[in-house]
Amino acid sequence: MKSKPVMLKLGGSVITVKDKVLTPNTEAIDRLAGEIADSKVSHLVIVHGGGSYGHSIAAKYKIAEGFKGKHQLIGFSETHNAMVSLNKLIVESLIGKGLPALSIPPSSFIITKNGRIHDLPLDIMTHAISMGFIPVSYGDSVLDHDRGFAILSGDQLISVLAVKLGAEKVIVGVDVDGLYTSDPKTSPSAQLVEHATLEDLEKLVGGVSGSRAIDVTGGMRGKIFELTLPVMKGIEVLIVNALKPGNICRALSGKNVMGTRIVKG
Ligand code: ADP
């Protein structure tokens, strides 16, 4: 591929209303599609999360725990189908802004091993990017060699894709301004960490409290765990608030945005 693609993660907390089952945040989806179009970024790959589309059905049927009985099969199908519906909304919104978005469902090209990607056929993705398409993939219920099936998070997918595609950078859009010293939703004294290194991330994931004493929990903890991989390979990661209008356009255009910049060292 001639130029390195930029990877954009759209968090489930941004594109859905998280506490309302199967409810999209259509206003955010359309605004973000407009921002992506305005940025005029040339090689882009989008991965989105599930938010209120993925989690409730997957949790009801315990899909993340793997195959335990036939009663779960319908739950696997429903989880994937809900993600297809959300993906369709995103792709339609991008197409509406004149962008050649192309849906690439993970469950049709990835089988995990114990919940982890071990083999990632890239032909379709690289071909699509070099032709000028914008692949739009997502966190999904996928088949698994060891457990029967598993949940592949959008964070794992974008991190592995970024490395395999030799991405320029990974922009992670969430519903807070970046990585904080503790969860900003529950801790009023939380401070934004504007710059972090691989060493900082490893301390966070390993549970060792670093000099900054960062307390990372919930969805952000999983994100930091996965994002360690691209950072380790020298790919810069930027965590920004995608609910704030203009942030994603600015980040895609390489302009300065409030957020957390994570680099190797
Ligand atoms: P998404 O669904 O957008 O991928 P998640 O909701 O899974 O994102 O994760 C982001 C959430 O993680 C934030 O909204 C925040 O409440 C929580 N969080 C926990 N600890 C931290 C921290 N130290 N810094 C920032 N966010 C944190």
Side-chain angles (χ1 to χ4, degrees), residues 9 11-13 18 175 178 180 182-185 215 217 219-220 223:
K9 166 84 198 298
S13 59
K18 253 199 158 170
D175 66 344
Y180 281 77
S182 54
D183 189 341
K185 286 188 183 152
D215 178 26
T217 51
M220 190 55 79
K223 239 175 265 305

Side-chain angles (χ1 to χ4, degrees), residues 26-55:
T26 34
E27 184 251 300
I29 292 172
D30 286 342
R31 176 182 48 77
L32 287 164
E35 289 192 33
I36 293 163
D38 290 346
S39 76
K40 306 219 168 6
V41 60
S42 67
H43 289 79
L44 177 67
V45 176
I46 298 174
V47 173
H48 64 81
S52 66
Y53 274 74
H55 298 301

Side-chain angles (χ1 to χ4, degrees), residues 9-16 18 49-51 55 155 172-186 190-191 204 214-221 223 239:
K9 166 84 198 298
L10 297 176
S13 59
V14 173
I15 54 169
T16 72
K18 253 199 158 170
H55 298 301
D155 294 319
V172 181
V174 286
D175 66 344
V176 291
D177 285 344
L179 173 66
Y180 281 77
T181 49
S182 54
D183 189 341
K185 286 188 183 152
T186 52
Q191 284 178 350
L204 288 179
I214 298 170
D215 178 26
V216 60
T217 51
M220 190 55 79
R221 189 174 173 83
K223 239 175 265 305
I239 306 176

